[in-house]
Structures are given as structure tokens and as C-alpha cells.
Amino acid sequence: MLTSLSIAQLEDITGGKALGSRRDQLISQISIDSRQILHPEQTLFVALRGAKADGADFIPELIEEGVRVFLVHEGWSVDEKLMDLASFIFTKDTRQALQKIAAFERSVFTKPVVGITGSNGKTIIKEWLGQVLSQRFAVAKSPKSYNSQVGVPLSIFGIQPYHQVAILEAGVSKSGDMETLSRMILPDLGIFTNIGSAHEEGFSGIQEKIREKLKLFSASKLLIYCKDQHHLAQEIESQISSDKLISWSKKSGADFSISWKPLEGKTRIVLMKSDLNTMTFQVPFMDQASLENVTHVIIAALTLGEDIPAIQEGLDHLKPVDMRLTLKPGLNDSLLIDDTYNNDLAGLKVALEFMSQQRPKRSKILIISDLLQQGLPEKIYSEVGELIQSYGLDQIIGVGTEVKRLEKLFPKKSKTYASTEQFLQNVDPESFQNDLLLITGARSFAFEKIVNRLQQRIHGTTLEINLNALTHNFNFYKKQIKPGTKLMVMVKAFAYGGGAAEIANHIQTMGADYLAVAFSDEGVALRKQGIRLPIMVLNPVEESFDLLREYALEPVVFSPEFFKKLGLYARYHQIQLSIHLDLDTGMHRLGFEEKHLQELKSLISQFPELNIASLYTHLVGADEEVHHDFSVQQLEQFMAMKSEIVSVLEYQPLVHALNSAGIIRYPDYQMDMVRLGIGLYGVEVTGKHDASLKPVSTLKTTISQVKELPAGATVGYSRKGVLPNGGKIATLAIGYADGYDRRFSRGNGYVLIQGKKAPVIGNVCMDMVMVDVSELDEVKAGDEAIIYGEQISLKQLADQIGTIPYELLTNISTRVKRVYYLD
Ligand SMILES: *Cc1c(COP(=O)(O)O)cnc(C)c1O
């Protein structure tokens, strides 16, 4: 934070009223997360009410840890005993209060603040601009993409007095959001990255979207934008006076006319100002999106007074990857958190927090380089030292000469090396077994070499899982259900292909109530990987009874015979087992029918060893309007069957019926719990809220080879791909054995290369597929190809070959590496 605040000041700023005993406490840290508190006595804990919890619930625990000042909602009933120990500031709305404190802190910062908004590229521009400016300045920037109503305040609290420039990004999801963000950020210099044409829920159209985003710059001195975005330029030029605008364009008529010239794997960027003064830079990438982003970066750096050689120096080190925290499978069951592109304090904190949320492993190891942040090294390293201690790491491997300062704070087994090379020469990769490693280093240390050495060997195809999108979708469904309704998440079939353990772990931290798997061994695998939530098993078999017992898994029971078998098993072993009853109301797959109810009731009384944890049914057509009457009939029949069963019970089991589509279409039938599946993974099957969910997985591969072929050449088995006029093809490292469906053959599917469509040519092979890239320039081996993801929707792809998104998701072979990231 920039300045410490007294309780009287906080009352003033928030308009709140303080009660309690610690009126003299000064605040220099603000936290909204009870798990992330470093200096309890100096911390203000702001109790926010979220989808999963009320922050106020953690107050007694936090007082125990030493936190003394709290911001709480009016009406929160405080225990008299707590009053003696702490101070409580009561406000109408704690989120607004948090934002007011942020606006106050911002007002104290007198150096330039850069504000970035737009549809795409915000985070990358922020990171790159930060890199370029840090050649000469001490830069504060939002960690990751902390750009929301709560993320922006946290970003602002990260600004320290020694910073010379701050870069903050702002993201909005509906009308009205930007005003609050704008009051907090108050950018001196603005960057409007671009505007996407995609429909976004919360906005009626593109103009409204632009106008909302423009509010960020209402008090800015200068705004940078690209004139070639016609809608955007029109709107900006009609709303903001021209002396505040800095435009660029690939044509003439802008403040900067730009040309991009490809040059042996790089691009030369020439900027010509209206006075015909020209400047030339070189950047290490060629794709359109990166060039657009980097052009914004160059113009912003020039505007802030950075000189040309320093900008070029900064550009030389940029990487065309985004700065994401990724979780990758390592050797010997280890897990790697790859944070090799992020090396500042704020980033380290986010990464350590991410680490603390992972499944338990043998030991927690941090591999860290010198921090090449501008600023006060003593202060920075003392903060790093505190972080290291508070996150309970088992081992630290320091690389570089500066981190050595911290050696005395390192746990016992720690080591330091002078350079990355030295580490690589001396490390035995086999020494890491079932460990959790966080690898974080400044760019110049090239820590990607360490990641390469320690990660599982893989081929070129990866399935990337966006954990932020998963969180977003989880919260979307959580908002659809009543506060008391529980949420069971279906992680059967390897969590719809996404990787069961990581996804289960993530939603366990998110606050899901129950998990469900198809078979007992899926449940066993989750338990072995440290998942603690109750787990329902849809299709257990008699052979797995011992496993169910040993791993505390809860089987679904679907017939009288099965009930009896399990009951006798429990009696023989003198144990209680929790079970779930599947009632068949029309699916006709598994389940008790009406004719079984009498027998079922008598079995229930016969076997008190079996505790009925829940009763459920499954809808057959909740996604489609045509089945509406049938769905309602199923739900009503279920209610009747359930009442009959419950009448013989002395306790209340959970009652549930809705899957993802049902949650959307039948809100009146939420009952005690809902069962979320495909929606969590980003597909809204009813089509009513397409724009509200975020795609979770991106399947990517690489080009192995590019070939120029003459007229009449054929491609692949059975000569099915024909190039009458010749052309250029690229061979990709994915085939039907990886889950790339053979029905995509012969132009039925396409992939994206450099953002452009490349249709499949010929038949899909077992491990490879060829695509036509005749229309693309500059395609080369090693380039990335997107099979599906944000730009290619699963629904569309599934339609194309007459299947459903479920099948595409679950078909991805386990040999495809899953990588998890936070963006
Ligand atoms: C798979 C499954 C679900 C989840 O269905 P989605 O359509 O993916 O939401 C719910 N309940 C049962 C019994 C299931 O088998």
C-alpha cells in the first residue's frame, strides 16, 4: 500500500462506523482472503459475501491468528467477546467500501497510471508494457488478470511508494461496471486494445460495449487506440476530444502510420509520425494478434517518455506466449507449476497461493531466481522471505547471486546455484518424486529449460484447461441455484476429459458439496490423490465393495437385488454405508421403478446398516424444449416416488434431479441438490445462456512438417485428399488415437493456424492429420494449431460430424498431456 491508514481515516473513507477496542491500530495491508494474511496485526480484513461463502464466517479464526481490524456488513452480529479483541468497521456494502479505500490509495499516487481495457490482449499488453518500461522504471502492475470489481482494488493495494509507474487493467461484464473501476484506476494514459464482435451477455450490442469501456478514460489525459478498428475509432472520435487522442493505423491519416514487415521469423515495425519522423523496431513474432498488441506497447512506452534503445532492449526479451500460471505433469508423479514468465512479488504471491491450493504431495519445493524487479532490493527480498516462510515450503532451490541473501530463511534441505546452467548440470531429475514444484524465475534465467527437464515427456498435443473459466462457470451455476441448494459435480469419465484429480481439487477449493464418478476405481483414484469431498459412484459392482468401504465411496443402489447384496455385506462387516438411490422415471438405464417401491421400503427397514444419503432421478431430455412435458412428468413422478420412500425413513436424505440443462430449465425443481456436468466444462446445452459460460478446454497441437505439392497430388491413405491445382499442406501431430475423430476427414473439420481456418485434407490418420494451408503465409514446422477452444466452439464441431460435445470432450486420449492454467 502507498500509505498506512488509521481506523478514523477508514471510517472517513468508507463512511462506516467503527466499534470495538483497537482504535489505535494502523493498517498497511488489506486482505479479502482469510488464507492469505502475512502480517495479521497490520491487516484490515474485508468480509465480502461471495457465491460460496461469507468472509465474515472466518472472523473468529482470524482473530485467533492476530487480525485486529475488520470491515463488515451492517447488521452482522458481533460477539461481545470479539469486541474486546478487535475493531469492526460497519458499512452498508463491504465491496463498495473496499473500492472506496482503493480510490483513496490511488489518489495518493502521483506518478503516471496506465489503464488498459478492450476485448482482447489486456493482460498481455499490461505484461509486455511492464517489461519494456522496467528497463528503466520501477513498475507496479495488476497481478495476472486482476481486472474486476474486486481484482482492481487488490491491484491498487499492490502499488508501493517506490513505484514510478502503475499499469492496471479493467474488465467489465455488464453495463455500469466501468464507472466504479474508472473511479479507482483514474488512468492518466489509456489504451483501448480492440473490440470483439462476439455477442457478450450483459450488453445489447457493440456500441453499448464500446461506450461502457470508454468510461474508463473519462478523466484521462491521453488515449491510445487503433484507427483500423472502424466501430471503435468512430465511437472514440465522437466522444473524446481530439487533442487527447493518439491513434495508429496501417494506413495514413493517424498519429502513427505503422507498417509490419516480416523478416526471417521476426517482424520489423516501422512507425511514421505525422511530421514524417520514423522509428524502427524489431519484434520476435509474426502473428497478427501479437503485432497489434506490441504496437500498443511501443506507442505507450514512447508516450511515457521511454527512449528508443531502451524500448528495443525490452522488446528483444518478449516472448509470444502469455504469462500464465500453468500446472503440468512432471516426472515421477510430481506436479510442476510453471511460472517462468512471471517474476515479481505480486506474481510470486499469486503463484504461492495457487501452490497452496493443490493436492497434497510429498513436499513443496520452490525453484526461484533472482528477482530482477526495479525498486529497493532489501525491501523486496525481505518480503520474499516473509512469503517463503508463511507458505510453509519444504525446500527451496535458489538460482542466481541475489537470492542467496535469503539463504538463512530457507528450510533445511535447500540449495543455491549461481546460474540456471549450473543447476541443470547438477540436478538429478529423479530426486523429485511425487513432489509439488513451483518454478518461477526472471526471463533472463531461462527457467523454461528447467521445466523442460522436469516435465513428463510428451508429444506435441496438449489439452489446456483454463481454471479461471472453470471458476467462472461454477459461479454461474451457483448463481442459478438457491443459496441452500447443494452442488454435486460430475467428474466421471476423467472429468469429461479434463483430468479428474485436478478438476476435482479445483472445485473442492471452490466449495462444491459432492462429487460423482461412474466407477469405483475412478473414486479410488481421486481419494489417492487427496480429494476429501464425499463421492457418489454411479455404477458400482459387487467386486468393488471392499474398495467402496476402504475409500469411503458412496455407491448408487439401483435394484432390490443390489440393495440386498450390499446390505448383507455391510452386516457381515458390521459397518454403516452411505448409499444413494437411483429412481427410474423414464431414462430406463438403471434405477428402481414404481413396481419396486414396496420391496424397497421393506429392504430399507431390514437393513439399517445402509444409510440413504440421497434419492435422485435423471432427466432424459432437459436440454430440449420438445421434451418439456416429459421432463415435468418425470419430475412429478420422482416427487411422488420420493415421498413414499421418505415416509419410512426417520431422517431426511438429500433429494435431487437436475443436470446442467435441468438447472437452467427447471429452477423450481432444484430440491436439495443439483448435479452439474457439461455446463461446468463450458458447454451450455440448452443454448439459452451460451454467452454466459466460458470455454474451459483448448486442444492444441503443433505442425510437424509443411509441404508444397504439385497439381494433382493426393494426400493421405486411400488418396482421399486431392489438390487439383497443387498447394501447401501441414502435417499435425494429432490423430484419431488422440481423440481427433476420424469423421473430421476430407474437409469435415478444420483447425486454426495463426487465427485462420485450415481444413482437414484427406483421411485423419492414427497419430497425424494433414490440413490445407495453401491460403496461409509463413506457416512452418513447430507452429501451433488449435483444434478447438475459444475460437472454435465444441458445439459447432460436434454438429459438423453428427455427434454431441460430450463425446468430443471425453474422447481425448489420456496420452494427451493436460495442462492447467490461471490467466
Ligand atoms: C452425467 C450425469 C449428470 C450430468 O449431466 P450433464 O448433462 O453433463 O449436466 C447428472 N446426473 C447423472 C445421473 C449423470 O449420469
Side-chain angles (χ1 to χ4, degrees), residues 490 492 496 538 589 616 618 659-660 675-678 806:
M490 311 307 284
K492 58 193 182 191
Y496 289 49
L538 291 167
R589 181 165 73 176
Y616 76 90
H618 193 35
N659 57 0
S660 306
R675 300 188 304 272
L676 178 59
I678 191 96
Y806 297 79

Side-chain angles (χ1 to χ4, degrees), residues 110-128:
T110 51
K111 309 283 169 42
V113 172
V114 183
I116 307 176
T117 197
S119 298
N120 298 304
K122 296 186 285 290
T123 305
I124 198 126
I125 291 177
K126 178 200 70 196
E127 292 291 338
W128 283 354

Side-chain angles (χ1 to χ4, degrees), residues 622-639:
D623 51 334
E624 292 177 298
E625 181 63 30
V626 285
H627 304 304
H628 173 75
D629 292 345
F630 192 79
S631 296
V632 173
Q633 182 190 318
Q634 277 194 284
L635 289 162
E636 290 300 325
Q637 186 189 346
F638 172 61
M639 298 297 276

